[in-house]
């Protein structure tokens, strides 16, 4: 049972919300500027790595290109201006995982630096850790990741293929590039982001 003061309080709150809605109708597009869409991404050339065979590395390079990892994990790719010096070294443009048309400040994740830089990339990751991330989305850095990183699509990848991807990523020249920290829903982001939305014509 609500007591009287609760009822009064909720009435006041609702009135305030209605007033706020009338005065400043939220137009999400006012907060955003249109940027260009993604492009097809090349992948960088591997360097010699003695732990894996050349065939494994070459297959990994082929799979990374085929699966489009660089279209998220390369800086600028998500906004149509990929930085070729930083292929697969992480994106300063994030991807919103909640709807920016509903949330003024949506949650945002930033595609990680996949090069073997020890501080800003995956230099300290073992091959099984990389394979686990690809198949189950569990990150050594951030625990269970959201399926914005499309690991559910990679879950059934053959072990040899996942190993080949790890071999290739480990063979890349390390690039020092710190991506912005993920943004929780409700927090303001300082870096740009894109949103994969589902829309339907009204008419
Ligand atoms: C649609 C965009 C997208 C694609 C395509 C994509 N990723 Fe990701 N990936 C992300 C995002 C976003 C994150 C960060 C997730 C988080 O922090 O919650 C991430 C995180 C990762 C991580 C964890 C790294 C870390 O430091 O935590 C690895 C490893 C990874 N991705 C590998 C890959 C590989 C390999 C491919 C291709 C087979 C790929 N990703 C394709 C968006 C993508």
């Amino acid at each position: 049972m609500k007591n009287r003061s609760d009822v009064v309080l909720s009435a006041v709150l609702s009135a305030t919300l209605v007033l706020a809605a009338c005065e400043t109708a939220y137009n999400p597009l006012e907060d955003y500027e249109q940027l260009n869409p993604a492009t097809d991404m090349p992948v960088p050339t591997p360097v010699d790595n003695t732990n894996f065979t050349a065939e494994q590395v070459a297959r990994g390079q082929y799979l990374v290109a085929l699966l489009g990892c660089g279209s998220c994990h390369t800086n600028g790719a998500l906004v149509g201006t990929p930085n070729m010096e930083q292929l697969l070294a992480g994106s300063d443009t994030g991807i919103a995982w909640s709807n920016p048309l509903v949330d003024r400040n949506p949650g945002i994740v930033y595609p990680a630096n996949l090069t073997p830089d020890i501080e800003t990339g995956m230099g300290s990751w073992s091959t099984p850790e990389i394979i686990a991330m690809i198949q189950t989305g569990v990150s050594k850095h951030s625990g269970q990741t959201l399926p914005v990183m499309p690991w559910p699509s990679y879950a059934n990848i053959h072990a040899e293929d996942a190993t080949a991807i790890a071999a290739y990523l480990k063979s890349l020249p390390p690039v020092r590039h710190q991506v912005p920290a993920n943004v929780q829903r409700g927090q303001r982001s300082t870096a740009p982001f894109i949103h994969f939305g589902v829309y339907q014509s009204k008419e």
Side-chain angles (χ1 to χ4, degrees):
M1 268 300 273
K2 283 182 168 185
N3 65 30
R4 193 160 181 278
S5 62
D6 280 348
V7 173
V8 172
L9 182 65
S10 68
V12 170
L13 278 176
S14 326
T16 316
L17 286 176
V18 169
L19 273 178
C22 294
E23 277 170 17
T24 53
Y26 172 46
N27 173 6
L29 295 180
E30 273 174 10
D31 278 358
Y32 304 113
E33 184 187 344
Q34 178 83 56
L35 301 173
N36 291 322
T39 50
D40 282 346
M41 288 301 305
V43 293
T45 324
V47 295
D48 278 348
N49 182 313
T50 47
N51 294 329
F52 296 101
T53 65
E55 288 73 30
Q56 279 178 305
V57 174
R59 180 155 184 83
Q61 181 178 25
Y62 162 77
L63 288 167
V64 164
L66 189 68
L67 297 170
C69 315
S71 56
C72 289
H73 284 275
T74 295
N75 204 9
L78 285 168
V79 288
T81 51
N83 178 346
M84 299 313 200
E85 313 281 292
Q86 295 196 337
L87 288 172
L88 294 172
S91 174
D92 291 334
T93 306
I95 304 174
W97 53 264
S98 73
N99 187 344
L101 304 183
V102 176
D103 287 341
R104 184 180 285 269
N105 293 315
I108 302 165
V109 284
Y110 292 85
N113 181 347
L114 301 185
T115 74
D117 182 63
I118 205 86
E119 279 175 38
T120 63
M122 302 206 303
S124 64
W125 289 45
S126 67
T127 302
E129 284 167 343
I130 297 179
I131 295 174
M133 174 65 207
I134 295 169
Q135 292 183 321
T136 66
V138 175
S139 162
K140 182 183 164 86
H141 287 148
S142 49
Q144 180 65 62
T145 55
L146 296 163
V148 179
M149 155 69 202
W151 52 265
S153 313
Y154 307 146
N156 292 330
I157 191 169
H158 292 163
E160 313 87 79
D161 287 340
T163 308
I165 291 177
Y168 170 64
L169 294 178
K170 281 173 165 291
S171 79
L172 293 174
V175 177
R176 198 181 157 75
H177 174 233
Q178 182 67 56
V179 301
N182 288 346
V183 175
Q184 295 304 313
R185 198 172 177 177
Q187 281 178 2
R188 257 196 106 69
S189 65
T190 51
F193 64 89
I194 64 148
H195 172 241
F196 300 130
V198 180
Y199 303 94
Q200 184 178 318
S201 297
K202 283 185 184 158
E203 311 267 316

